[in-house]
Amino acid sequence: GQNIDQPTEMTATEGAIVQINCTYQTSGFNGLFWYQQHAGEAPTFLSYNVLDGLEEKGRFSSFLSRSKGYSYLLLKELQMKDSASYLCAVRDSSSGGYQKVTFGTGTKLQVIP
Amino acid sequence: NAGVTQTPKFRVLKTGQSMTLLCAQDMNHEYMYWYRQDPGMGLRLIHYSVGEGTTAKGEVPDGYNVSRLKKQNFLLGLESAAPSQTSVYFCASRDNEQFFGPGTRLTVL
């Protein structure tokens, strides 16, 4: 099985930088995803890490350490529209060859002026 | 290219009624998923499919059945709805990252 932990809520100021952490435990790690979900909408893909290190995509970056079971999502130059929930998800290949994706409960980020 | 679509968008059922939620994708993806999302619980996997004709149980399969008769469609059925099944249901398909449908808001009275 999998266990994914991330903070429930965070608050940050417009223009600042915020880091959202995610820790996980899995027996067949096959990739980690970050999704953004605005209230009342579907999740949308932000980033994917399968190897250790930092992946940068514009204002968003995601880091992975497989040995530590740890990832973070870094948001720079925060904008009000970044207020949303950020979901960490882990793909696992240990279930009879099927690849399942399990989501954390999400971190609700509030950006304030 | 419509991506992932879900019907219906909203539905209200009485306890004991049955219904089917339809998910369709036009991206030729093998993998498809059904999730439910409840406050404070995050997205929980109900059932998933790794290809046409296959299905598998996720975290919370009880009370639901699924079918994948065609590659592009993944159906979620509730045979006898219960108030505990009030939730927002998301379908997704993937090649690498998952693409989500817009969701179905189901209320069971």
Side-chain angles (χ1 to χ4, degrees):
Chain A
Q2 298 179 39
N3 189 22
I4 301 172
D5 290 311
Q6 49 181 131
T8 304
E9 294 182 345
M10 298 182 72
T11 302
T13 306
E14 189 177 15
I17 298 172
V18 70
Q19 177 174 314
I20 302 174
N21 296 325
C22 172
T23 59
Y24 64 89
Q25 293 175 321
T26 182
S27 53
F29 179 82
N30 196 266
L32 187 142
F33 300 83
W34 284 96
Y35 287 82
Q36 181 189 60
Q37 186 177 24
H38 285 100
E41 298 182 8
T44 55
F45 171 78
L46 287 178
S47 69
Y48 168 66
N49 296 72
V50 67
L51 299 176
D52 290 351
L54 189 68
E55 294 284 339
E56 296 185 81
K57 190 184 292 185
R59 293 189 299 114
F60 293 4
S61 303
S62 57
F63 172 83
L64 175 67
S65 169
R66 289 172 295 171
S67 62
K68 296 182 179 178
Y70 169 68
S71 173
Y72 66 72
L73 180 69
L74 194 71
L75 290 74
K76 301 176 185 176
E77 301 170 13
L78 280 173
Q79 302 175 8
M80 298 300 290
K81 67 178 183 180
D82 296 330
S83 293
S85 289
Y86 291 85
L87 312 180
C88 174
V90 174
R91 190 162 66 197
D92 182 289
S93 297
S94 61
S95 301
Y98 291 165
Q99 294 187 345
K100 292 199 302 184
V101 176
T102 301
F103 285 78
T105 55
T107 298
K108 188 175 181 180
L109 174 66
Q110 183 182 15
V111 180
I112 58 176
Chain B
N1 207 351
V4 181
T5 57
Q6 292 182 231
T7 52
K9 289 187 169 54
F10 302 93
R11 185 73 186 269
V12 178
L13 291 178
K14 294 181 179 178
T15 296
Q17 287 185 316
S18 63
M19 77 164 295
T20 301
L21 283 68
L22 173 63
C23 176
Q25 53 99 1
D26 61 1
M27 296 173 282
N28 203 35
H29 290 164
E30 294 291 341
Y31 287 74
M32 295 188 74
Y33 304 82
W34 274 108
Y35 293 91
R36 60 177 290 174
Q37 188 173 40
D38 304 289
M41 301 291 288
L43 282 161
R44 290 184 293 169
L45 183 64
I46 304 172
H47 286 280
Y48 63 102
S49 169
V50 301
E52 182 178 316
T54 73
T55 63
K57 293 180 179 180
E59 291 177 71
V60 288
D62 294 341
Y64 305 95
N65 57 76
V66 287
S67 65
R68 184 96 182 269
L69 298 179
K70 294 183 179 180
K71 187 177 184 179
Q72 63 268 34
N73 296 336
F74 195 28
L75 278 62
L76 178 71
L78 285 72
E79 291 186 349
S80 180
S84 61
Q85 294 178 304
T86 293
S87 187
V88 179
Y89 292 85
F90 286 103
C91 175
S93 71
R94 76 163 180 93
D95 45 15
N96 189 37
E97 79 251 29
Q98 288 188 326
F99 297 85
F100 285 84
T104 296
R105 282 155 181 77
L106 175 66
T107 301
V108 183
L109 303 175

